[in-house]
Amino acid sequence: MVCRNSQSVCQIKQFCFIILSFVFYSLFSQDLLANNYLSLLQEGSALRYEHWNLDRKEVTGYSNFLQIYQNEKKQWLEQNANTKPDGEVFTRKQLVFTDTGQIQKYTEEDLRDVYQVSTTYQRSTSETVLNRASEIRIFKQQLEQGTVPLELIMLHMRFLMPELLKDKEVKFPIYASMLALELEEQGLPQSLSQLEMIAEPIKKRNYSAPWGAQEALQVDLYPASWTVRALLPAEKSRFRFVIATSAPYLILEFEEGKTRHTLLEWDDGGSKMIDKIKPLF
């Protein structure tokens, strides 16, 4: 920096430049960072959902969630093992968060189709690596500000509850990495994998939760675009959640397509010995 005034004036200019740079960097960083889910992460918290096929009227499997804090790596894990009715695991999923609750990475392994996918999030960019039958594909996607990865949708719906309880619709963009891959394969722009959604509070109701009667809010989630809603059947574009109205805003039930997922068990981890918590995989 060239200074034509006294040394004191030069120092003031340098100081102002440093402060402005710091403020700009802070604002820029906040815009690019993901939502903070720290309030929804609890060491040892475990959830178990039943999958019920609405057409066949039968149980098709279960989802088992576990949250763990890795002190040595200063990071949070949320693991999800999906099982068949007999207990056989068919998919393993894992979310990795910073110690402040921001998403870093998502991994998924499908033991039926034999593929592995890993998506890393850094600021406004996602990088997905797909390994299918030893064929590896890598692709990157620039994300809009405030985009919510599809694999975070359950946590995000809980995150939105304070606003939804004010009877307000909430709009936000979602991103589906696997859809981005399919679009690329078909020669279509990957930007179509980012979709503006509306979370609409419908009505409060009493719900019989595993621990007793619970007030809950029904929330519908659907594309903001009328065109998208017209092109897609309702079972593929509209989702229904029943969420407890008190913190930590557990999802008691949700429907996607022809499957209803119902919460069967919940352990907040408060009674567990931290050093005895074992990962699901």
Side-chain angles (χ1 to χ4, degrees), residues 66-77:
L66 177 66
Q67 294 180 347
I68 305 170
Y69 183 71
Q70 294 185 318
N71 191 56
E72 67 281 4
K73 295 183 179 181
K74 304 299 181 185
Q75 65 182 22
W76 288 92
L77 303 180

Side-chain angles (χ1 to χ4, degrees), residues 39 65 69 202 205:
S39 64
F65 292 85
Y69 183 71
I202 303 299
R205 59 187 253 200

Side-chain angles (χ1 to χ4, degrees), residues 91-110:
T91 61
R92 301 188 185 109
K93 304 174 184 179
Q94 181 168 274
L95 294 165
V96 181
F97 300 86
T98 65
D99 61 351
T100 56
Q102 293 159 342
I103 184 63
Q104 280 187 315
K105 188 175 183 180
Y106 171 72
T107 57
E108 178 178 339
E109 181 180 15
D110 192 311

Side-chain angles (χ1 to χ4, degrees), residues 203-207 214-218 242-245 252:
K203 62 181 178 181
K204 289 183 180 179
R205 59 187 253 200
N206 292 323
Y207 190 91
Q214 169 74 58
E215 183 184 63
L217 177 67
Q218 177 186 320
V242 178
I243 310 173
T245 57
L252 306 172

Side-chain angles (χ1 to χ4, degrees), residues 189-257:
Q190 292 183 20
S191 59
L192 295 176
S193 61
Q194 297 183 62
L195 193 63
E196 187 82 5
M197 302 292 286
I198 295 176
E200 178 186 2
I202 303 299
K203 62 181 178 181
K204 289 183 180 179
R205 59 187 253 200
N206 292 323
Y207 190 91
S208 180
W211 55 88
Q214 169 74 58
E215 183 184 63
L217 177 67
Q218 177 186 320
V219 181
D220 285 2
L221 180 68
Y222 51 87
S225 167
W226 283 96
T227 303
V228 173
R229 296 208 296 269
L231 292 174
L232 293 176
E235 65 181 34
K236 291 187 177 181
S237 62
R238 195 176 190 98
F239 310 93
R240 177 159 294 169
F241 295 81
V242 178
I243 310 173
T245 57
S246 57
Y249 309 116
L250 295 175
I251 293 177
L252 306 172
E253 184 179 291
F254 66 99
E255 293 183 16
E256 54 171 342

